[in-house]
Amino acid sequence: CYTEPTFDVVPSIEFADIRKQTVLDAIDGQKKDSVILTIKFQDGDGDIGFDSKLDVDAINAASLKGDFHFVVKTFQQRRGRLVARDDFNFSGFPPRLKNDGKVGPIEGSLDYSMDFPFSFTAKKDSMKFQVFIKDRAGHVSNTVESKIIVLNE
């Protein structure tokens, strides 16, 4: 017999991992670091994320207002301290994580990717990220912080 877990309807997240891959950009062939941030999540009613085909209007309307559902704040290490970089906007929308149309708890891991082209990234640039998510009902999760990652090595 399976007992369904009970989670709060306000999403809860925790930092799981941060890693990078150096890849070639498909358009210009230049090197870039693709940073993958992994968070673990729990949500009591399963309303995290959007379907990029079905929820186009909702995504477009939210984007115009800057109302992102995967919010990333970027910090860059300068002279030994972390400084917020408001000019780096990597916020966006996670995919719909529960597609059966039923209300119910979900938990798992979510990978979120951000690209840093070498031509725009200083050599051995150290970055850190703060993240929170918002579900479709507008409930805002706690905020988590990544470890520092070094780019353009």
Side-chain angles (χ1 to χ4, degrees), residues 18-30:
I18 188 166
R19 62 194 184 283
K20 69 176 180 179
Q21 294 177 283
T22 300
V23 296
L24 294 179
D25 188 273
I27 296 172
D28 65 13
Q30 298 295 313

Side-chain angles (χ1 to χ4, degrees), residues 72-144:
V72 179
K73 187 168 185 175
T74 306
F75 295 86
Q76 183 179 37
Q77 195 161 13
R78 289 193 181 151
R79 296 185 190 110
R81 58 185 275 263
L82 291 166
V83 178
R85 290 295 307 262
D86 296 329
D87 54 330
F88 287 167
N89 185 0
F90 292 106
S91 298
F93 299 93
R96 186 178 288 253
L97 300 176
K98 185 170 173 56
N99 291 310
D100 63 6
K102 298 177 186 172
V103 173
I106 58 172
E107 70 178 323
S109 294
L110 178 62
D111 288 342
Y112 193 80
S113 180
M114 303 167 282
D115 288 340
F116 291 84
F118 280 15
S119 57
F120 295 105
T121 308
K123 273 276 198 215
K124 297 191 177 183
D125 212 358
S126 296
M127 308 292 274
K128 187 175 197 171
F129 306 94
Q130 285 181 347
V131 174
F132 68 85
I133 62 173
K134 184 165 45 168
D135 64 19
R136 291 188 302 278
H139 300 121
V140 177
S141 77
N142 55 303
T143 299
V144 297

Side-chain angles (χ1 to χ4, degrees), residues 6-79:
T6 304
F7 304 131
D8 194 328
V9 296
V10 176
S12 174
I13 63 173
E14 66 182 74
F15 170 74
D17 189 34
I18 188 166
R19 62 194 184 283
K20 69 176 180 179
Q21 294 177 283
T22 300
V23 296
L24 294 179
D25 188 273
I27 296 172
D28 65 13
Q30 298 295 313
K31 284 186 178 180
K32 65 182 178 181
D33 280 330
S34 182
V35 174
I36 300 101
L37 183 66
T38 303
I39 61 167
K40 293 180 181 177
F41 65 87
Q42 293 179 336
D43 185 48
D45 54 5
D47 64 341
I48 295 174
F50 291 90
D51 182 309
S52 62
K53 293 185 178 104
L54 298 177
D55 300 320
V56 173
D57 291 339
I59 291 171
N60 287 341
S63 292
L64 289 173
K65 295 188 289 184
D67 186 21
F68 299 104
H69 284 230
F70 194 103
V71 179
V72 179
K73 187 168 185 175
T74 306
F75 295 86
Q76 183 179 37
Q77 195 161 13
R78 289 193 181 151
R79 296 185 190 110

